[in-house]
Amino acid sequence: MAILYRTQAHATGGRDGVSKTDDGKLEFKLSIPKELGGPGGDGTNPEQLFACGYSACFLGALRYVAGQAKIKVADNATVATKVGIGPRDDGTGFGLEIDLTITIPGMDRKTAEDLVAKAHVVCPYSHATRNNIPVRLKVA
């Protein structure tokens, strides 16, 4: 695989610390949600960051496959991503589950579902999660 872009980030303090990219474009406080036994707080968490990244990446993949097929995707198309975290049934730590809801205004359902299926094949986040994290796709 020929790498086209690479980035790097560092975290200190774990889930209750700070994370930032080496180029200085992102820096944010992390807080452990109350649901995970933490104090809550005004910081973000890895699950929120994963949801943001997957949403943006999947929408990019959707626009890519639509462009390949010469199909216009509305500028206000959205991908809403829910990330759930909890203990794995086999007792080996924690796992994630993902729900993607894709909304493409002005597009018929069949075309939208076809593009979503193709985007799920090419999206790097979908590749990373395939066969190890449940990902559910829904066209709204």
Side-chain angles (χ1 to χ4, degrees), residues 19-37:
S19 188
K20 61 184 176 180
T21 57
D22 286 3
D23 63 9
K25 290 183 179 182
L26 289 175
E27 182 172 347
F28 40 86
K29 182 178 182 216
L30 300 166
S31 298
I32 302 169
K34 289 181 181 179
E35 297 86 346
L36 295 178

Side-chain angles (χ1 to χ4, degrees), residues 2-50:
I3 300 298
L4 300 176
Y5 172 76
R6 188 179 310 270
T7 190
Q8 187 166 323
H10 289 88
T12 56
R15 285 181 164 270
D16 196 24
V18 175
S19 188
K20 61 184 176 180
T21 57
D22 286 3
D23 63 9
K25 290 183 179 182
L26 289 175
E27 182 172 347
F28 40 86
K29 182 178 182 216
L30 300 166
S31 298
I32 302 169
K34 289 181 181 179
E35 297 86 346
L36 295 178
D42 59 355
T44 188
N45 60 65
E47 292 72 36
Q48 289 175 325
L49 297 170
F50 191 88

Side-chain angles (χ1 to χ4, degrees), residues 45-59 79-86 94-102 116 120 123-139:
N45 60 65
E47 292 72 36
Q48 289 175 325
L49 297 170
F50 191 88
C52 287
Y54 205 160
S55 292
C57 192
F58 197 90
L59 187 53
V79 176
T81 304
K82 290 182 183 177
V83 175
I85 183 172
F94 291 83
L96 301 174
E97 67 171 24
I98 314 294
D99 289 289
L100 299 176
T101 301
I102 302 91
V116 164
H120 194 45
C123 174
Y125 275 70
S126 293
H127 279 288
T129 59
R130 191 167 287 116
N131 297 322
N132 62 353
I133 297 174
V135 176
R136 292 176 289 274
L137 304 172
K138 177 185 174 190
V139 175

Side-chain angles (χ1 to χ4, degrees), residues 59 63 72-79 103-107:
L59 187 53
R63 291 189 185 285
K72 171 75 170 128
V73 172
D75 290 341
N76 61 341
T78 61
V79 176
T103 304
I104 311 171
M107 185 175 289

